[in-house]
Amino acid sequence: MECISVFDMLKIGVGPSSSHTLGPWRAAERWLHELKQDNVFNDVTRVQVDLYGSLSLTGKGHATDLAVMLGLSGSDPEYIPTETIDIIIASIENTEKLVLGNEKIIDFDKNSEIIFNRVFLPFHSNAITFTAFSMNTEIHQSTFYSIGGGFVIKEERTVDAENKELIKEFPFPSHTAKQLLNFCNTENKSISEIVLENERSLRDDEKIDFELNRIWQTMLDCMFTGCHTEGTLPGGLNVRRRAFDMHKKLNIEMPYVTSQDWLQSIRQSEVKFRQILKWVSCFALSVNEVNASLGRVVTAPTNGSAGVIPAVLMYYMVIENHDASFKEIKQFLLVAGEIGSIFKKGATISAAMGGCQAEIGVSSAMAAGALTELLGGTPEQVMIAAEIAMEHHLGLTCDPIGGLVQIPCIERNSMGAIKAINAAELALETDPKNVKVPLDKVVDTMWETAKDMNNKYKETSTGGLAVRVNMADC
């Protein structure tokens, strides 16, 4: 059974897309490793990158070409100072040279070396092939598939090759919600406690806490940055950032300097129902505006849906429980990650495979379930909340205008966050004995819907809003 860690579902990286930016970036890193492993790295004089399917059709809007160049340059998306991205790209474009793996200078003209092929390869919608040449002779070639959420595989593998240590049994391995609930009942543990035991089979408590705290701090800093940055998003749609204006109107009275001070200041602010809606929307919008501008976000479970989970967790921190600390943050992230893994194992978290239901729908389900446990819900009610959230995202298409992760993607994060909170409240008022639709049935339905969905509604920008509203209209 494939064992997926919370840290696979929640990855720190750079926007705007987990499957179209982070995935190709990681694929380039993996390919560099292959070149060295096969002892041909020093012989490389030229490289060619072929993008296929959805990576080609929306690659420009998703900065796939930029991600490939950064990956080939040896930069790490988790740690690269985001302010240096434009400098690195400008240097490659102006000099037509690339420092391969940050070690070896080669000629590189992105206009001829990165090829956008509209055809789809059979294995997956997001395919990328790297070819290395020594003078005019091909010496190495590999094809990778970006399957959503930053996961990258090769056709001969079914488990993310970046995570070989996870190809082993957790103490409580589960592929379905039913299996997870069985463990909760037999062990008399909450979902977060079961997940924590699984994580302990991979790393010690100190490492778990350190990484979860780093994930939360990245989310908090991302919201803080988005709420304090005004202007227009890059890409040509001229989309004005809204989180800044919305945040300004919400009138925080207490002064603050850091993101943590900011959180405390919001806790002291007046909140009525409309203000709560605005705060949650503001949090979600802020993250995805940062994402759209190649900022640092947490893939949760994708970049396009990165705003839902931090917005709902922040809602809990500043509205529901002013005494909440890392204990609750940890609990929330553990549950959210596990629910996301159920969808990844049973369906997909890739919009290129399943439309936006696979991104916003899954993130909303993750947030709803996690919030439910924090609010005192039973493991059964956690699953009910996740089911409700996904049920009302079934069939949601992915049709980004101009291939940019902006319209309708940014707003959808605020809608997904509000739905998650609503789903949690409904679940808490539901007796599990009266439930008609279990979560596993919704996972199956989502996957069937994904397979039935027309390809033009799967992150290809060939249908829906992407066609009805074009760049000229904006």
Side-chain angles (χ1 to χ4, degrees):
M1 181 182 294
E2 181 182 5
C3 296
I4 299 176
S5 168
V6 168
F7 300 108
D8 292 307
M9 299 308 301
L10 305 173
K11 299 185 182 79
I12 298 173
V14 172
S17 170
S18 52
S19 58
H20 287 60
T21 314
L22 182 58
W25 193 326
R26 290 300 189 196
E29 290 180 320
R30 291 252 303 272
W31 185 59
L32 291 178
H33 178 72
E34 285 187 4
L35 293 178
K36 292 181 178 181
Q37 200 170 38
D38 293 348
N39 296 316
V40 296
F41 179 84
N42 291 330
D43 300 326
V44 177
T45 58
R46 182 172 73 85
V47 299
Q48 178 177 304
V49 183
D50 285 271
L51 305 175
Y52 295 94
S54 181
L55 286 186
S56 171
L57 292 169
T58 62
K60 288 285 187 181
H62 287 67
T64 305
D65 50 346
L66 307 187
V68 167
M69 290 189 284
L70 291 164
L72 291 174
S73 299
S75 299
D76 187 326
E78 191 168 346
Y79 296 102
I80 183 175
T82 55
E83 64 273 12
T84 67
I85 289 176
D86 288 342
I87 298 171
I88 296 171
I89 296 300
S91 174
I92 296 171
E93 292 177 341
N94 294 334
T95 65
E96 293 191 353
K97 293 187 183 297
L98 183 149
V99 185
L100 191 67
N102 201 32
E103 296 180 28
K104 176 183 174 66
I105 298 175
I106 62 171
D107 293 331
F108 188 86
D109 178 359
K110 76 167 191 175
N111 296 316
S112 58
E113 307 294 9
I114 301 179
I115 302 170
F116 292 80
N117 303 281
R118 296 180 66 86
V119 298
F120 286 73
L121 298 189
F123 185 71
H124 194 278
S125 301
N126 292 331
I128 180 169
T129 298
F130 296 93
T131 307
F133 297 87
S134 179
M135 303 305 290
N136 294 320
T137 303
E138 178 184 317
I139 58 173
H140 193 280
Q141 185 178 83
S142 278
T143 298
F144 299 87
Y145 299 89
S146 180
I147 61 173
F151 287 88
V152 177
I153 63 173
K154 301 189 76 170
E155 189 167 351
E156 63 269 22
R157 295 188 64 88
T158 56
V159 178
D160 183 9
E162 289 180 357
N163 300 289
K164 293 178 182 178
E165 74 274 13
L166 297 186
I167 312 173
K168 67 176 188 178
E169 286 290 291
F170 280 157
F172 303 110
S174 57
H175 191 275
T176 65
K178 183 178 180 180
Q179 290 169 339
L180 179 58
L181 285 177
N182 286 340
F183 283 127
C184 290
N185 292 330
T186 57
E187 299 295 321
N188 193 27
K189 293 179 182 289
S190 66
I191 290 174
S192 61
E193 289 171 331
I194 290 290
V195 179
L196 181 58
E197 289 303 314
N198 284 338
E199 292 297 328
R200 283 172 171 161
S201 71
L202 301 174
R203 47 187 70 85
D204 61 32
D205 280 15
E206 184 179 0
K207 182 67 171 178
I208 292 169
D209 288 355
F210 177 83
E211 291 300 329
L212 287 175
N213 188 59
R214 194 163 68 95
I215 286 169
W216 165 243
Q217 194 59 52
T218 302
M219 289 178 171
L220 180 60
D221 290 346
C222 185
M223 288 184 280
F224 184 78
T225 298
C227 285
H228 295 84
T229 305
E230 60 181 326
T232 302
L233 295 174
L237 286 178
N238 298 315
V239 174
R240 178 173 174 78
R241 291 176 179 262
R242 283 184 288 176
F244 178 89
D245 295 330
M246 187 178 292
H247 180 264
K248 191 174 181 180
K249 291 177 183 176
L250 283 164
N251 294 323
I252 297 178
E253 295 182 3
M254 278 184 60
Y256 57 86
V257 176
T258 67
S259 58
Q260 193 61 45
D261 294 339
W262 176 60
L263 187 154
Q264 296 297 337
S265 298
I266 299 171
R267 283 175 166 174
Q268 305 304 315
S269 302
E270 180 186 22
V271 284
K272 298 178 181 177
F273 181 68
R274 287 187 66 198
Q275 277 73 32
I276 292 173
L277 289 176
K278 289 177 182 178
W279 272 120
V280 174
S281 295
C282 184
F283 298 146
L285 293 175
S286 66
V287 171
N288 286 83
E289 288 173 357
V290 171
N291 180 65
S293 54
L294 276 77
R296 176 155 287 115
V297 300
V298 176
T299 299
T302 68
N303 283 30
S305 61
V308 176
I309 286 172
V312 175
L313 179 49
M314 189 69 163
Y315 157 80
Y316 178 80
M317 300 282 288
V318 300
I319 305 295
E320 287 293 334
N321 183 1
H322 286 191
D323 295 322
S325 62
F326 178 69
K327 173 180 174 291
E328 287 79 14
I329 293 167
K330 178 179 179 178
Q331 189 177 353
F332 186 100
L333 295 177
L334 289 171
V335 176
E338 182 66 13
I339 291 172
S341 76
I342 289 172
F343 279 97
K344 184 185 183 300
K345 287 178 280 195
T348 181
I349 57 170
S350 166
M353 290 294 286
C356 200
Q357 61 174 354
E359 297 203 16
I360 293 294
V362 173
S363 63
S364 186
M366 292 166 69
L371 179 62
T372 300
E373 181 167 306
L374 286 187
L375 294 176
T378 65
E380 288 80 9
Q381 288 174 320
V382 168
M383 296 306 180
I384 293 168
E387 181 278 321
I388 292 172
M390 173 51 79
E391 184 179 325
H392 300 288
H393 282 95
L394 288 173
L396 188 62
T397 60
C398 181
D399 47 359
I401 298 173
L404 296 163
V405 192
Q406 297 181 20
I407 303 174
C409 320
I410 295 174
E411 281 184 356
R412 281 187 180 170
N413 279 265
S414 67
M415 301 302 290
I418 296 297
K419 281 187 180 181
I421 296 169
N422 193 7
E425 293 298 337
L426 288 171
L428 290 167
E429 298 301 322
T430 300
D431 186 334
K433 295 196 298 291
N434 298 326
V435 169
K436 305 298 182 184
V437 184
L439 177 58
D440 289 329
K441 292 294 183 183
V442 170
V443 174
D444 293 343
T445 301
M446 193 267 267
W447 183 226
E448 288 302 316
T449 303
K451 290 186 286 187
D452 290 341
M453 190 181 290
N454 191 300
N455 278 337
K456 67 183 180 180
Y457 299 119
K458 295 181 182 180
E459 208 168 4
T460 59
S461 285
T462 56
L465 287 175
V467 172
R468 295 299 175 185
V469 182
N470 56 45
M471 298 286 278
D473 294 322
C474 299

